[in-house]
Amino acid sequence: MRRAALLALPLTLLVPAAAVASGNKQVEISATPQPVEVVPLPCFPSGKLTLGMTNTGRKATVADMRISGDPELMLSRHQFSSYLPVGQLVKAPLEVTVPRGTAPATYDIRLQAGREQLTAPVAIRPAPPKGPGDNLLLGEQAAASSTHGNMRLCGGVDGNADSAQWGAGGWHDATKGVFPDTYGVDFVTPVSVGRVVLHTLDSARYPASVMGIRDFDVQVRTGSEWATVGVVRDNTQGWVTVSFDPVTSNAVRLVIQDSNDHGYSRIVELEAYSS
Ligand SMILES: [Ca+2]
């Protein structure tokens, strides 16, 4: 009888002991910023959240964070697992997107690691206006012939035209020394386009006359047919405006024929307007 009782005792202690460890907040979880803001456009820079786990216990551990959200939210990950040294914040990115047209509202992301829980709010903001005088390309789905691995396809339509932030806010192709390259936007519904503005790379270190786009054609698409509405050659400027008779188009693009270094086609920002 006594031996049986001794055997049973450690087994019954084991399960509560494991639960108590997480209940004692051995792992703290965090999410910044709060709220995270999301604009319901495919290339608009928004919805970037940083998740964190901190081991507040006395021993290193492995933790799993489960990530879920309201059904309107599309999350780039649903789990964050990591080895956690004592006292060290371990971070992971979470991207949140919502379908085009999602109405402004606040939704929730739920984070759970052990018994620790955190609710992070997501604020859906209005999409930027696309009326007369507004940049029709801002945040819309970009399309390119190729995109270099260090760059983002969306970098040329993210609203950031600052050449000093070229690495984070620009685009260039992946085919060094090979032209043409194309970059543009497919519209969800046809719009009238009469002016295109190119911001090519033009910084103190990388002036447009050395690294910028030199030769390019502006094309608009009607149905499935592309038409060239502007031609620029021997450009050395960072900011080039091409105006033409407005065309109701379902897409606009640059066909880049050469750059001043004959290497890459570098776009900091591409804009289009109705007139
Ligand atoms: Ca940009």
Side-chain angles (χ1 to χ4, degrees):
M1 285 297 285
R2 195 175 175 201
R3 176 174 289 183
L6 279 173
L7 277 174
L9 195 58
L11 284 173
T12 52
L13 276 175
L14 257 179
V15 174
V20 166
S22 59
N24 278 347
K25 298 190 178 182
Q26 190 182 343
V27 175
E28 283 184 1
I29 57 181
S30 61
T32 52
Q34 292 191 32
V36 61
E37 300 192 344
V38 179
V39 173
L41 286 178
C43 276
F44 202 93
S46 64
K48 304 275 192 292
L49 201 62
T50 300
L51 307 177
M53 292 194 288
T54 306
N55 180 358
T56 57
R58 293 193 211 100
K59 287 194 295 185
T61 187
V62 173
D64 297 304
M65 182 192 293
R66 282 188 291 138
I67 306 157
S68 60
D70 287 332
E72 291 81 358
L73 307 177
M74 295 178 281
L75 307 177
S76 63
R77 60 166 71 215
H78 291 92
Q79 188 169 347
F80 167 26
S81 301
S82 180
Y83 173 75
L84 296 182
V86 173
Q88 191 172 320
L89 172 65
V90 177
K91 297 188 282 189
L94 173 67
E95 291 192 25
V96 188
T97 53
V98 295
R100 178 189 296 275
T102 300
T106 300
Y107 297 106
D108 285 332
I109 297 172
R110 285 169 287 279
L111 311 172
Q112 182 168 15
R115 289 186 178 177
E116 275 293 284
Q117 294 185 15
L118 182 67
T119 298
V122 178
I124 311 300
R125 299 304 186 201
K130 294 292 170 65
D134 297 317
N135 174 14
L136 303 170
L137 306 189
L138 177 59
E140 300 294 340
Q141 182 60 61
S145 52
S146 65
T147 298
H148 193 275
N150 292 341
M151 309 302 287
R152 293 176 310 111
L153 172 63
C154 287
V157 289
D158 62 355
N160 186 350
D162 184 355
S163 282
Q165 298 173 39
W166 156 248
W171 166 89
H172 74 70
D173 62 288
T175 58
K176 187 177 185 181
V178 178
F179 295 87
D181 302 302
T182 64
Y183 188 88
V185 153
D186 288 353
F187 297 120
V188 174
T189 52
V191 290
S192 175
V193 180
R195 180 163 54 100
V196 167
V197 179
L198 166 66
H199 303 261
T200 190
L201 179 61
D202 187 31
S203 64
R205 190 174 175 192
Y206 303 114
S209 59
V210 177
M211 302 285 272
I213 290 172
R214 187 176 81 172
D215 302 331
F216 65 95
D217 306 333
V218 178
Q219 293 190 336
V220 296
R221 193 176 62 199
T222 306
S224 58
E225 296 292 316
W226 288 102
T228 298
V229 290
V231 172
V232 174
R233 293 292 181 266
D234 301 319
N235 172 59
T236 57
Q237 304 299 307
W239 181 355
V240 189
T241 296
V242 181
S243 297
F244 44 91
D245 289 337
V247 182
T248 299
S249 319
N250 58 37
V252 58
R253 71 179 183 185
L254 299 191
V255 181
I256 301 142
Q257 307 288 355
D258 204 356
S259 61
N260 282 314
D261 72 336
H262 313 297
Y264 292 115
S265 300
R266 301 177 184 87
I267 295 177
V268 184
E269 194 74 2
L270 184 65
E271 302 166 359
Y273 298 86
S274 56
S275 62

